[in-house]
Amino acid sequence: MTDQDLKKIAQTPTPKPRRAAREAALSAGMAEFDASVSESQSESEQRTQTKRRKFSFRSKGSGRHTRPSSNHSLLERKFSMRAYSKYAVAASVVAVAIIGPASLYYKRTETYDGPVTGLQGLQNFSGSSSDADREERPAAEPRKMAAKKPVALPAPVPSKTKPPQVVKTAKLKPDDKSASAYLGLGREDDANSTADQKVARTENITPPASGRLKQLGELYDNSARSQEAGKGLGAAGGNGQSWTRSSGERGPNRPTDGLGAVGNYSSGTVAQTQPAPGFGDGSQTPDRTSRSSREHRDKFEVAPSSPIKQVATNPVSTFSLDVDTASYAFMRRALNAGRLPQKNAVRVEELVNYFNYAYAPPESADVPFKVEANVVPSPWRTGNKLVHLSVKGYELSSAERPPANLVFLIDVSGSMTSADKLPLVKSALLMLVNELKPDDTIGIVTYASGTAVALQPTKVKEKFKVLSVIGALRSGGSTAGAQGIHDAYRLAEANFDPQGVNRIILATDGDFNVGITNREELKGYIEHKRKSGVFLSILGVGQGNYNDALMQTLAQNGNGTASYIDTLNEARKVLVDEASSTLFAIAKDVKVQVEFNPERVQSYRLIGYETRALKREDFNNDRVDAGEVGSGHSVTAIYEITPVGAPSDVDPLRYGESKTAPVVQVDPDAEYGFVKLRYKLPNETASKLISQAITPSEEASRIDMAPQDAQFSIAVAGFGQLLRGNPSLNDFSYDDVIELARRTKGVDQFGYRSEFINLVRNAKSATR
């Protein structure tokens, strides 16, 4: 090292830590130089007259030294150069040890000062940082980073694809409480965050071709979630979409799995790992879609209200029984939020059948249904009457209950992250497990971007094992629902019990976006699989992207029922209080057909059951699918009829039999109609028939003389029609519903009827 090099080192301005180290090194070199000179003077008298030049130091860290002059002895100059050489080596080592790490540390804190998670810290910085560069960037407080073990990176895959965009997380606001509050990593923090904080604040920047930042891989950040993340143990992924500040529109992110993606910047490729979906100790990825963009995206089947039909031309009405209750729970959620539900979300029959009625039960399991009919005056149209049909199913005792082979098919995709989805499903299933017998069997299949069997069929007596698997579920990734259904059927069929109940319980928000997503294709697959004897029931959750139309299709064609879980109380009602009705079917393909007598009835309309209508010839066709009824279920159907002689909404025909038909006196003892019910036992393929006449002996002259449960169900039916905006109600109002329901509330063990009255009040307030 030359004298010029030493001068450059001494004159280089450095931070205080390096300046102190350099001064220490120079002092050590000077001390060695003094020792060498003293030794030379003891050997030769000429050295006693040598004038030694000492080192001097400038202020602010820069130093200056002079070489021995030409009048020094040769030996003295030899020892001087040796000292200089040792000093130069020591100074170089200190410079490398201090300047390099210090420069890297300053560049990292200036380039990224946000929260560090996952593989965010895996970046390589090179080049020098000048004062001008620091002035251009905002000052950032240095972040202390805990030492971590080195992570083995997958080998980059060469590719000619376009380099991916680097996603740089925006800085936290000064008033943010923590990184969790900004990122929304916890449900409590996310609830307390503002709407702006809940949206992932990211900005798209283009990586420079050269300079101090050379990107080794995409920065993995929970605020810019990857599409395929969550495919395995410890999934920390999301739905693969990030928000762009400039446009506010979603843009797809590069897919990652498991811990994230690390790729090669120059080639733009990403190496991925793919374990099983949604199971492990990974973190959940929150859904940061703004609330306004999530509303009104739920999907319901469009079904106009049933029309008025003339008995003279169409005397027969046929429909499938419906014991689903999903519509009521969804309606309740909307009203409790202070808004009216969508009209298509209101299915009047599901509102009516949500409640349990004390109808007369059947005498034995040989004939599992008891049918009754009542005729009462219509509360909303003078002169019209209501035909109230009630069906009560046989209730199995605990000893009569068959063994259960259940498969929980659980959606663990990124859309299931919010507290009213996967966490609620887990709580509901934990309650259900406690209601099962020790010899019942449970298997668990999860699906997100892919599928996995989280639990092979296991006896409930191993409860700790089952509960541990349910408790460990995590969400992340897209939604391969069709593949999940396929694997669930496969698992249920492999453990099929010919003497028991074989059922799949699908818990999802219905947002299928991977694999088969077409509704008709899924319907065809379910129709084919129901022949195996495995039933499919639905537990719907969430709002904003809830696909009720698809869930209804799956349940109706899978010989199952559809429920919607909006609260833990609703989960308890469906899976604990009514577990026997939910899990154990007493009949399948249950159909109802009513024929009205034209001598007593001139027109009619069926209230509700718009999505359950059947053709007249379907009633006797055992190959036509219909509804399932569980143990102890109560089912209600209500017709509004216009008796012969009462004012009609329909003009008589100009051409036809009605023009010349003689007017005859109505026989007061004549039947109003004839009702037939056809059903199959769960393990049989041939249907059986129950029939009963609707006679005047079952008619009440005033509505308050009708059975109490019949009156309450009529109040609920009127409320459902108000929500759908049915014009047939005339002046019937929410106040009339409240009065009728309050008067006939009766015994309300769990408070469901009192809750209904409050919901009517909420609807009244929402319409003002």
Side-chain angles (χ1 to χ4, degrees):
M1 182 175 293
T2 64
D3 187 54
Q4 191 68 18
D5 294 331
L6 293 176
K7 286 185 178 181
K8 288 183 179 180
I9 294 176
Q11 294 175 358
T12 301
T14 57
K16 292 183 179 180
R18 193 180 68 159
R19 185 164 59 246
R22 192 193 64 180
E23 291 176 355
L26 291 175
S27 299
M30 185 180 67
E32 185 175 352
F33 177 80
D34 291 340
S36 301
V37 172
S38 299
E39 182 181 356
S40 63
Q41 287 178 350
S42 63
E43 295 178 358
S44 175
E45 293 182 358
Q46 294 179 359
R47 297 177 190 169
T48 58
Q49 298 177 359
T50 302
K51 295 182 180 179
R52 179 167 50 87
R53 306 290 296 270
K54 297 184 178 180
F55 294 95
S56 62
F57 297 93
R58 292 180 179 178
S59 59
K60 299 184 180 180
S62 62
R64 182 176 62 185
H65 61 276
T66 56
R67 298 180 60 183
S69 60
S70 59
N71 57 357
H72 289 171
S73 66
L74 180 62
L75 183 61
E76 181 179 358
R77 280 183 287 174
K78 178 181 178 181
F79 278 97
S80 299
M81 294 308 299
R82 181 188 300 175
Y84 284 134
S85 299
K86 292 182 178 180
Y87 155 72
V89 172
S92 300
V93 172
V94 172
V96 172
I98 295 179
I99 296 175
S103 176
L104 177 60
Y105 177 79
Y106 294 149
K107 292 173 185 177
R108 293 187 63 168
T109 56
E110 291 170 359
T111 303
Y112 177 73
D113 59 345
V116 179
T117 59
L119 297 181
Q120 291 177 351
L122 296 180
Q123 291 183 330
N124 180 30
F125 301 90
S126 63
S128 61
S129 177
S130 64
D131 294 338
D133 293 333
R134 294 191 180 97
E135 292 175 359
E136 293 177 357
R137 295 187 300 271
E141 182 180 356
R143 182 183 181 90
K144 296 183 179 180
M145 302 176 62
K148 295 185 179 180
K149 295 181 179 180
V151 180
L153 301 180
V157 181
S159 173
K160 297 182 179 180
T161 58
K162 185 179 179 179
Q165 287 184 323
V166 177
V167 180
K168 180 179 178 182
T169 304
K171 297 180 181 178
L172 297 177
K173 293 184 177 180
D175 56 349
D176 285 348
K177 296 180 180 179
S178 63
S180 298
Y182 167 69
L183 293 174
L185 297 179
R187 293 194 300 273
E188 181 177 356
D189 292 338
D190 187 60
N192 296 330
S193 300
T194 64
D196 291 337
Q197 290 171 331
K198 291 180 181 179
V199 178
R201 288 170 273 185
T202 62
E203 57 181 283
N204 295 326
I205 60 176
T206 303
S210 61
R212 61 183 183 81
L213 175 59
K214 293 184 179 179
Q215 185 71 19
L216 285 178
E218 291 185 26
L219 179 64
Y220 182 84
D221 189 348
N222 281 338
S223 65
R225 299 172 301 165
S226 58
Q227 182 175 5
E228 299 293 334
K231 248 188 177 181
L233 301 175
N239 62 7
Q241 309 226 333
S242 61
W243 283 96
T244 306
R245 247 187 212 158
S246 59
S247 62
E249 298 177 353
R250 282 184 178 271
N253 228 354
R254 188 165 288 278
T256 59
D257 296 298
L259 290 175
V262 177
N264 183 285
Y265 167 70
S266 61
S267 63
T269 59
V270 177
Q272 302 177 1
T273 58
Q274 300 182 359
F279 180 68
D281 56 355
S283 61
Q284 298 185 13
T285 304
D287 182 4
R288 287 179 198 73
T289 309
S290 64
R291 181 174 181 178
S292 60
S293 65
R294 292 197 307 264
E295 293 178 351
H296 309 302
R297 292 195 292 112
D298 304 297
K299 300 176 183 178
F300 298 91
E301 184 175 353
V302 178
S305 298
S306 299
I308 297 175
K309 296 183 179 182
Q310 299 301 304
V311 175
T313 57
N314 195 354
V316 179
S317 172
T318 309
F319 63 94
S320 166
L321 279 189
D322 183 5
V323 295
D324 296 347
T325 59
S327 178
Y328 185 93
F330 198 91
M331 174 272 298
R332 175 179 57 202
R333 180 168 195 162
L335 291 177
N336 283 335
R339 64 178 186 275
L340 293 175
Q342 301 179 39
K343 291 182 179 180
N344 291 321
V346 179
R347 293 183 287 272
V348 179
E349 74 277 8
E350 294 189 20
L351 271 59
V352 174
N353 292 327
Y354 179 83
F355 301 93
N356 189 28
Y357 303 103
Y359 297 151
E363 297 178 358
S364 67
D366 296 334
V367 182
F369 294 107
K370 174 72 173 179
V371 181
E372 290 184 335
N374 294 279
V375 181
V376 300
S378 172
W380 48 75
R381 187 175 182 84
T382 303
N384 281 7
K385 297 181 180 181
L386 301 180
V387 176
H388 182 277
L389 302 178
S390 61
V391 179
K392 183 68 174 181
Y394 180 78
E395 186 168 2
L396 299 172
S397 64
S398 179
E400 294 175 307
R401 253 185 49 184
N405 168 34
L406 304 180
V407 175
F408 297 159
L409 176 56
I410 306 174
D411 182 353
V412 293
S413 62
S415 65
M416 291 286 289
T417 300
S418 58
D420 61 342
K421 293 187 179 181
L422 182 59
L424 182 58
V425 168
K426 291 164 61 177
S427 300
L429 295 181
L430 292 176
M431 290 191 294
L432 175 58
V433 171
N434 292 325
E435 296 299 313
L436 299 176
K437 293 182 177 180
D439 290 334
D440 292 337
T441 303
I442 292 178
I444 299 177
V445 176
T446 62
Y447 69 89
S449 302
T451 64
V453 177
L455 179 68
Q456 292 289 341
T458 304
K459 295 293 184 181
V460 175
K461 60 185 177 183
E462 299 183 56
K463 186 175 295 185
F464 179 79
K465 181 179 180 181
V466 176
L467 299 183
S468 298
V469 172
I470 295 175
L473 296 174
R474 298 292 183 269
S475 61
S478 51
T479 315
Q483 182 61 38
I485 292 175
H486 172 78
D487 290 349
Y489 270 110
R490 180 179 54 80
L491 191 64
E493 291 169 357
N495 197 51
F496 188 84
D497 186 351
Q499 305 301 322
V501 172
N502 302 274
R503 185 181 298 275
I504 297 171
I505 299 178
L506 169 59
T508 179
D509 59 3
D511 187 19
F512 291 8
N513 53 33
V514 173
I516 300 176
T517 60
N518 182 271
R519 180 175 166 184
E520 292 302 319
E521 291 184 31
L522 288 169
K523 176 182 176 181
Y525 178 77
I526 297 300
E527 287 177 345
H528 172 73
K529 298 302 291 186
R530 76 181 177 213
K531 299 177 183 177
S532 65
V534 178
F535 292 6
L536 173 64
S537 293
I538 304 295
L539 289 181
V541 293
Q543 63 178 341
N545 63 337
Y546 181 62
N547 193 342
D548 177 82
L550 178 60
M551 297 300 99
Q552 290 292 316
T553 298
L554 296 181
Q556 291 178 19
N557 292 278
N559 280 343
T561 58
S563 302
Y564 180 80
I565 307 298
D566 60 327
T567 63
L568 194 60
N569 286 335
E570 182 65 14
R572 184 179 295 107
K573 176 182 183 294
V574 173
L575 299 177
V576 177
D577 301 336
E578 300 175 0
S580 181
S581 300
T582 302
L583 299 179
F584 303 100
I586 59 173
K588 62 183 180 180
D589 295 341
V590 185
K591 311 169 189 175
V592 174
Q593 189 172 80
V594 179
E595 180 184 357
F596 289 100
N597 182 4
E599 296 182 1
R600 293 297 305 266
V601 181
Q602 58 176 316
S603 63
Y604 67 90
R605 70 179 180 94
L606 177 61
I607 300 176
Y609 292 94
E610 289 86 1
T611 63
R612 299 284 183 154
L614 297 175
K615 299 177 182 178
R616 181 176 178 177
E617 59 270 22
D618 292 341
F619 183 75
N620 293 323
N621 189 347
D622 287 346
R623 292 176 295 178
V624 175
D625 182 62
E628 173 202 58
V629 177
S631 169
H633 257 141
S634 302
V635 191
T636 303
I638 302 174
Y639 284 92
E640 182 178 9
I641 64 173
T642 301
V644 172
S648 176
D649 290 332
V650 181
D651 294 335
L653 295 175
R654 178 178 178 85
Y655 307 102
E657 295 180 359
S658 61
K659 178 181 178 181
T660 58
V663 177
V664 296
Q665 187 176 1
V666 177
D667 182 2
D669 296 328
E671 298 173 351
Y672 281 98
F674 194 74
V675 57
K676 296 182 290 186
L677 184 145
R678 190 173 289 279
Y679 67 94
K680 299 176 188 174
L681 294 177
N683 296 324
E684 296 183 2
T685 57
S687 64
K688 298 181 178 181
L689 180 66
I690 300 174
S691 60
Q692 179 178 324
I694 306 172
T695 64
S697 61
E698 299 162 335
E699 183 177 358
S701 58
R702 299 196 315 268
I703 190 172
D704 57 357
M705 298 178 63
Q708 190 177 70
D709 281 344
Q711 294 183 58
F712 186 84
S713 65
I714 290 172
V716 178
F719 176 60
Q721 293 177 90
L722 286 172
L723 292 178
R724 288 181 62 90
N726 195 309
S728 301
L729 297 184
N730 293 337
D731 296 331
F732 193 72
S733 65
Y734 291 116
D735 290 330
D736 297 323
V737 174
I738 294 172
E739 176 59 26
L740 182 57
R742 184 191 59 78
R743 190 175 67 242
T744 60
K745 183 176 65 173
V747 178
D748 190 18
Q749 180 180 1
F750 299 108
Y752 299 134
R753 298 192 178 191
S754 298
E755 179 191 52
F756 168 76
I757 296 173
N758 288 330
L759 291 176
V760 180
R761 293 193 178 102
N762 291 348
K764 178 182 177 181
S765 299
T767 57
R768 292 177 179 173

